[in-house]
Amino acid sequence: MTRKSAILVLSLTALFLSIGLMILNSPSEDPRKEYEEELIAMFKQIPDDIGEEAEGENRPDRPDLAAMQNFFSTMDPELKAVPAERLSAAWDATRELKKSTLKQGIPMLFWETAGSNMGGRTRAIMYDPNDASGNKVWAGAVTGGIWYNNDITNDQSDWMPVNDFLSNLSISCIVYDPNDPMTFYAGTGEAETARVIYRESSGVGMGILKSTDGGASWDLIPSSESFKYVTDIQIRDEDGTSVIYAGVASGVYKGITHNSQPSNGLFRSVDAGNSWTQVIPNIPGTDEPYAISDIKIQGDGRIYVGSMGNPDLEGGATIFYSDQGTAGTWTVYDEVKNQIENQTSHNIPGRVILVPSPSEDYIVYALFSVGNNEDFVRYRGRLIYRTVDSGETWDEVNIPDIQYATLSWHALCGAINPADPNHIFVGGLDAWSSSNAGNSWNQKSDWWWMYYGGDDRYVHADQHIHLYKPGSSEEMLMGTDGGIFYTSNATSFNPVFVEKNHNYGSLQFYTCAISPIAGDDRYIGGLQDNGTLYYQGDPLDINDMIDQGDGAGCFWDADEPEIFITSVYYNRYTVWDNGVPEDAGEESGTFICPADYDYKLNTLYANACGFQGQDANELLVIRNIPDNPWHMYVNLGTGLSTYYTHIKYSPHSPDGTTTLFVGSQTGQVFKVESAQASPAVTEITGPEFPEASVSCVAIGGSEDTLMVTFSNYGVNSVWQTYDGGDTWASIESNLPDMPIRWAIYHPHDAKQAMLATEIGTWTCNHLHLDDPQWIPNVEGMANVRVDMLQIREADNTVLAATHGRGLYTAEWVSNPWVSIGEQPELPVSAIYPNPVRDVLNIRLDEQINARVSLDIFDMQGRLVMREELDGMISDHIVNTGQLPAGSYVVRMHSGKRSYSESIIHQ
């Protein structure tokens, strides 16, 4: 490769691999120390300014830093990469075990959403072609799955999730078949955020999902399963045949390539996805096809394709067009790519976003992302070109502003007024519009208003899709990092933008805390893109944002409930006393920094060590909360050179003192006594603990009972001790290979525990057995990543922070049954048909002669139907005709017996 940045990527790849080889070929006296040295070598390759603010003033979030931290906490220590394909196997195992537990009638938790009128990152939007009103809209969240809204013009119309147990919840694009509008396709995997070094995608895909019933049910197309990132899908009517075109790319995990198979490229299918042919040319001088960023089909049938740089940073900024769509028929336009490469700086060709005119087939705009050769993490939207002769020639037009798309590898989009080819919208950080074909521009939206409760100009930062309603020049939707926004007067000089996120529960939380008062519906949570939110019983909205930036650790004082603490990344804390905020802490540590709060002594403890080892072994300690808090640094003397990954305050600390349990990035666990004064540190690491990142230390009824979890792939993830750490036993048992992010014991029975995992929550009721079995316990939630669990002991309410579906709560009742198969079950042999339209049949193996409660919940945890029966005969009929189309859970209870099953209503 000829470019400095591309050489650096290859150098880093070789470095990571060579480090691993050196470790394997050298004497192994201390594997943990060797692993630590390996991590240090990787961290040294991070650009020195990684902790600085991103380009553009006052950015609300840092998706790059969040993903970097997540990479190091989940990578397979042997591979130095995140083997996301293992999540598919974990999902299969979860699905089968979930079926088994339902059949056995094991009493399940039922999770209820806290509710949200704010949304998370959305790249996919589609108007429903089958809706007579024209107002039904489908959307895909990058970590939250597929949703629909029956009337996007109605502010009170709910978004409804579809099938919470899709094989993949990372949705990148969604389209319908013009020859069969009941057939939909959705691409998975977020390639846009897996383009550059030290950046991990929010979601690795598993190919293409297909629906043949207008979106009610979805299945994976098996032939596409190896497409790791599907960037776009378009369908063209070719003489009555619906031909699918799918853009496919590979992704980078900190220099390690995650390849789509059989290659990158533009894949064409003439048989509804049963087989595929790669049709785009190879990158010159290589045998690799271009990676695809965008596909557009004009009214005259011509196909336009834009490229993006592959993991070697080759092949970006190139445009293709063809009238046939087959191999060997493509015209290649790479003059802009050549122009970029010949610059002395900003010379890395990035992705191309195509913006065709709906009214004039010969007009297409192309937005180019360009990287800096001195800092290839950062790309701007630096160029816009336009063709007025169907791609034969292209001319440069003005860009709105150098700051309009400061993270163009992440956020870049546009749309043209269907009736006026000179009126174009483009988006990145904000939305800009030109009414004169790009000669001059005006800023139309302003994300900064999110901090003031929003106004007519507010559209969330980082815009990914602009979409006009078919047939309208005024109605337009915008998909952003904060969900979906709408305007009904797009041609106005001052369009009015309205947030359309009613119950669009796709928020990406990192942390959470719950009021200690029994029955109190107040929670706080830190999340990506939307600061820290304060839930007070009503669905979350922008007015509930009480802290800015990316929200990080938050804590509620257990004995002084008028006090809680929030934070922005890098240990910048705010102490709230009766609603009055006061700044505390100091910038230090890692992005989402491990911390915990001693509510008895009103002192907060946080990791102070940075990504590159600065302030190693130190804790940031904030004292005197809430009155005039002040901070200091305390060195624990643990001898580490990397940061602490977990800090846990022990509720069993002796009066007047603080005991902490501290976990490391290399798998070590330390008990810190008298942390408030002169810390006494004892290492309690299990001899068989993996060299991996400690994600949580859970504490049972005393400090003798501890559970330690690890968040990396490829390691033994769950360990338990009953003697304070003298001996440890693995209790991972039947858990799939997936990240375990948090753990809690039941406060009244330490034989019961709950885990937060990459695929929802899992529970076990018999930890004292030799081979304890875990079960997925996600009814009402989804197969979504869960980052944290907090339990309120006053009423056994668990609060779960999910990274893609918002906040959930469940009552965790102490379970009297010991193991799988021992719970009494209702004699249900079948619930059918599924999917159901109007009548649901419940078949029993035997008659029930006791009172039965039959409830149906929607996927947001709301009770939508209830029957109270004095008994049930062998066949029972439930009339469901009044239910809207969507996914539901049927739950039956009779005494201690129960049964649950998910259904789809059409």
Side-chain angles (χ1 to χ4, degrees):
M1 289 178 283
T2 59
R3 293 188 298 279
K4 176 181 176 182
S5 57
I7 292 173
L8 182 54
V9 172
L10 290 179
S11 299
L12 292 177
T13 303
L15 174 66
F16 293 177
L17 294 176
S18 64
I19 291 171
L21 289 175
M22 286 189 292
I23 295 295
L24 290 173
N25 294 325
S26 62
S28 179
E29 295 182 359
D30 188 348
R32 292 194 196 284
K33 197 64 180 177
E34 291 171 348
Y35 181 60
E36 183 180 53
E37 292 171 356
E38 194 171 350
L39 289 171
I40 293 169
M42 295 173 71
F43 278 117
K44 285 182 178 178
Q45 307 309 312
I46 301 172
D48 289 337
D49 64 349
I50 194 69
E52 297 177 4
E53 290 294 325
E55 294 181 66
E57 295 182 358
N58 300 314
R59 285 201 56 83
D61 64 299
R62 289 301 305 270
D64 50 343
L65 293 180
M68 181 191 76
Q69 187 169 349
N70 189 59
F71 167 81
F72 281 102
S73 67
T74 59
M75 71 174 186
D76 184 309
E78 292 294 325
L79 298 178
K80 307 302 180 292
V82 177
E85 65 278 359
R86 296 184 197 170
L87 199 58
S88 177
W91 180 84
D92 288 338
T94 302
R95 179 181 55 183
E96 293 306 313
L97 191 53
K98 181 173 178 290
K99 289 180 181 178
S100 173
T101 55
L102 286 174
K103 288 180 180 179
Q104 295 182 64
I106 296 173
M108 305 293 287
L109 296 173
F110 192 84
W111 294 93
E112 297 186 53
T113 178
S116 173
N117 296 330
M118 300 174 69
R121 186 180 308 154
T122 301
R123 295 188 180 274
I125 306 176
M126 180 187 76
Y127 277 92
D128 192 321
N130 306 297
D131 178 51
S133 72
N135 293 327
K136 184 175 181 178
V137 172
W138 294 83
V142 297
T143 56
I146 299 173
W147 300 69
Y148 67 88
N149 188 316
N150 284 318
D151 185 1
I152 197 65
T153 66
N154 182 348
D155 290 346
Q156 300 305 308
S157 180
D158 285 344
W159 284 95
M160 300 292 292
V162 177
N163 191 350
D164 285 329
F165 296 93
L166 293 172
S167 57
N168 193 282
L169 293 180
S170 177
I171 306 300
S172 58
C173 53
I174 183 170
V175 297
Y176 67 89
D177 183 343
N179 290 325
D180 180 8
M182 291 294 287
T183 297
F184 298 172
Y185 295 88
T188 66
E190 191 187 19
E192 292 81 2
T193 54
R195 296 293 86 210
V196 291
I197 201 69
Y198 296 113
R199 180 63 177 132
E200 178 201 343
S201 172
S202 288
V204 177
M206 292 184 208
I208 298 172
L209 302 171
K210 180 179 180 180
S211 172
T212 59
D213 53 14
S217 60
W218 296 78
D219 294 297
L220 176 67
I221 298 177
S223 63
S224 70
E225 190 170 3
S226 295
F227 296 167
K228 296 305 179 186
Y229 299 98
V230 179
T231 54
D232 200 3
I233 304 171
Q234 294 293 325
I235 303 173
R236 190 170 74 148
D237 179 2
E238 298 183 10
D239 298 325
T241 298
S242 297
V243 179
I244 308 170
Y245 292 86
V248 175
S250 297
V252 171
Y253 285 94
K254 317 322 179 266
I256 306 299
T257 302
H258 197 78
N259 286 312
S260 282
Q261 297 296 336
S263 69
N264 297 332
L266 181 68
F267 286 82
R268 180 176 188 264
S269 176
V270 297
D271 55 9
N274 290 319
S275 61
W276 301 89
T277 302
Q278 201 294 113
V279 296
I280 211 73
N282 289 341
I283 301 170
T286 77
D287 57 359
E288 292 293 326
Y290 286 85
I292 303 305
S293 60
D294 203 9
I295 310 168
K296 292 294 187 293
I297 300 175
Q298 272 292 49
D300 59 5
R302 177 162 287 187
I303 308 172
Y304 295 83
V305 176
S307 74
M308 65 198 307
N310 66 16
D312 295 329
L313 304 184
E314 295 288 352
T318 304
I319 299 172
F320 312 83
Y321 67 83
S322 171
D323 295 322
Q324 292 76 40
T326 53
T329 66
W330 297 88
T331 298
V332 180
Y333 178 76
D334 58 4
E335 293 181 18
V336 177
K337 176 190 78 72
N338 296 334
Q339 171 191 332
I340 294 169
E341 290 180 334
N342 288 330
Q343 296 179 151
T344 57
S345 65
H346 301 100
N347 60 1
I348 302 174
R351 64 180 176 135
V352 180
I353 297 297
L354 300 166
V355 188
S357 167
S359 60
E360 302 292 351
D361 294 341
Y362 51 83
I363 295 178
V364 181
Y365 289 74
L367 316 180
F368 290 86
S369 175
V370 183
N372 187 338
N373 70 339
E374 295 177 355
D375 179 4
F376 56 85
V377 171
R378 296 179 178 171
Y379 286 71
R380 293 180 187 268
R382 299 188 68 89
L383 298 169
I384 300 177
Y385 275 69
R386 178 177 185 250
T387 179
V388 295
D389 54 14
S390 298
E392 298 293 331
T393 60
W394 296 79
D395 296 307
E396 186 174 0
V397 302
N398 294 325
I399 63 172
D401 181 89
I402 196 63
Q403 298 284 355
Y404 99 92
T406 54
L407 295 181
S408 57
W409 52 270
H410 169 64
L412 189 64
C413 61
I416 294 178
N417 186 316
D420 183 358
N422 293 318
H423 186 197
I424 180 173
F425 271 86
V426 296
L429 183 63
D430 287 307
W432 294 70
S433 180
S434 172
S435 59
N436 54 19
N439 289 321
S440 61
W441 298 85
N442 292 290
Q443 185 175 344
K444 299 300 180 182
S445 72
D446 187 347
W447 71 265
W448 184 253
W449 282 96
M450 71 185 294
Y451 294 139
Y452 301 97
D455 76 345
D456 292 349
R457 291 165 288 178
Y458 169 58
V459 177
H460 198 285
D462 296 346
Q463 300 180 13
H464 307 294
I465 181 171
H466 290 173
L467 180 68
Y468 279 93
K469 180 180 179 179
S472 175
S473 298
E474 298 291 349
E475 295 184 70
M476 186 170 70
L477 296 174
M478 296 177 170
T480 75
D481 268 16
I484 297 170
F485 291 76
Y486 166 86
T487 181
S488 60
N489 62 337
T491 60
S492 170
F493 186 78
N494 294 307
V496 174
F497 296 104
V498 182
E499 191 171 1
K500 293 291 185 176
N501 291 319
H502 199 262
N503 280 320
Y504 186 43
S506 51
L507 294 173
Q508 298 169 302
F509 280 87
Y510 298 120
T511 62
C512 63
I514 185 170
S515 164
I517 302 171
D520 187 359
D521 290 334
R522 290 186 297 156
Y523 326 125
I524 49 178
L527 64 162
Q528 185 171 321
D529 305 336
N530 287 291
T532 298
L533 299 180
Y534 182 21
Y535 177 82
Q536 301 179 72
D538 295 319
L540 293 165
D541 62 34
I542 193 171
N543 295 302
D544 294 316
M545 184 183 296
I546 59 173
D547 218 339
Q548 302 177 4
D550 274 321
C554 51
F555 311 93
W556 213 304
D557 195 301
D559 58 9
E560 297 178 273
E562 69 277 8
I563 300 170
F564 59 76
I565 302 167
T566 63
S567 70
V568 180
Y569 44 78
Y570 289 122
N571 279 333
R572 292 177 283 185
Y573 292 93
T574 301
V575 175
W576 300 79
D577 184 6
N578 284 306
V580 178
E582 183 171 356
D583 291 340
E586 181 178 69
E587 184 164 314
S588 60
T590 51
F591 187 69
I592 304 299
C593 203
D596 207 356
Y597 176 61
D598 178 349
Y599 64 89
K600 296 177 183 177
L601 299 184
N602 298 97
T603 302
L604 187 142
Y605 299 85
N607 164 65
C609 179
F611 285 123
Q612 297 183 338
Q614 60 271 37
D615 300 315
N617 302 295
E618 291 194 351
L619 296 181
L620 171 69
V621 181
I622 304 176
R623 300 185 183 278
N624 206 38
I625 294 172
D627 300 319
N628 300 313
W630 56 275
H631 69 268
M632 60 183 293
Y633 290 91
V634 174
N635 194 314
L636 296 184
T638 53
L640 299 176
S641 299
T642 54
Y643 54 85
Y644 299 128
T645 55
H646 184 72
I647 295 173
K648 176 72 74 177
Y649 162 69
S650 171
H652 308 299
S653 299
D655 290 343
T657 69
T658 300
T659 299
L660 303 175
F661 290 90
V662 177
S664 79
Q665 200 180 10
T666 55
Q668 291 164 278
V669 178
F670 303 91
K671 182 176 182 179
V672 182
E673 297 173 282
S674 298
Q676 84 292 342
S678 300
V681 180
T682 304
E683 184 172 356
I684 58 171
T685 305
E688 296 182 331
F689 279 9
E691 291 81 48
S693 181
V694 174
S695 57
C696 190
V697 178
I699 304 172
S702 73
E703 291 174 3
D704 288 336
T705 301
L706 305 173
M707 184 184 300
V708 173
T709 63
F710 294 85
S711 55
N712 298 74
Y713 282 97
V715 303
N716 205 329
S717 301
V718 190
W719 297 79
Q720 184 172 246
T721 180
Y722 287 127
D723 53 19
D726 289 340
T727 59
W728 294 88
S730 169
I731 55 170
E732 184 174 64
S733 189
N734 63 326
L735 286 170
D737 183 6
M738 60 183 174
I740 309 299
R741 297 181 179 269
W742 205 264
I744 56 175
Y745 282 105
H746 195 287
H748 305 301
D749 185 356
K751 297 189 299 295
Q752 294 179 238
M754 184 183 301
L755 302 177
T757 82
E758 208 75 2
I759 306 179
T761 55
W762 291 60
T763 59
C764 180
N765 296 329
H766 44 94
L767 293 173
H768 61 294
L769 299 182
D770 290 338
D771 185 27
Q773 297 292 293
W774 298 89
I775 60 171
N777 221 325
V778 289
E779 290 300 326
M781 191 187 280
N783 58 323
V784 65
R785 166 181 152 186
V786 181
D787 278 27
M788 182 177 284
L789 300 167
Q790 298 289 354
I791 186 164
R792 178 167 60 205
E793 295 189 18
D795 57 8
N796 297 328
T797 297
V798 180
L799 177 65
T802 79
H803 199 74
R805 284 295 184 91
L807 296 174
Y808 283 83
T809 58
E811 182 184 359
W812 191 17
V813 178
S814 180
N815 197 322
W817 298 295
V818 175
S819 63
I820 292 176
E822 293 185 14
Q823 292 85 345
E825 59 185 18
L826 286 172
V828 179
S829 61
I831 293 183
Y832 67 94
N834 193 6
V836 60
R837 289 190 181 275
D838 298 311
V839 177
L840 186 69
N841 297 278
I842 300 175
R843 176 164 295 170
L844 305 178
D845 290 330
E846 62 185 55
Q847 183 171 319
I848 301 174
N849 296 314
R851 190 165 183 80
V852 178
S853 294
L854 193 158
D855 298 333
I856 299 180
F857 296 85
D858 67 18
M859 300 316 290
Q860 293 183 325
R862 295 172 298 198
L863 179 67
V864 296
M865 183 183 296
R866 166 166 288 175
E867 291 186 11
E868 295 286 350
L869 307 170
D870 290 330
M872 290 181 67
I873 58 176
S874 58
D875 288 286
H876 182 75
I877 295 175
V878 183
N879 293 314
T880 61
Q882 74 274 29
L883 294 179
S887 298
Y888 299 88
V889 174
V890 178
R891 299 192 73 199
M892 297 167 57
H893 293 275
S894 181
K896 293 183 177 180
R897 299 192 295 175
S898 66
Y899 186 87
S900 301
E901 186 161 329
S902 298
I903 63 169
I904 296 172
H905 198 276
Q906 296 180 334

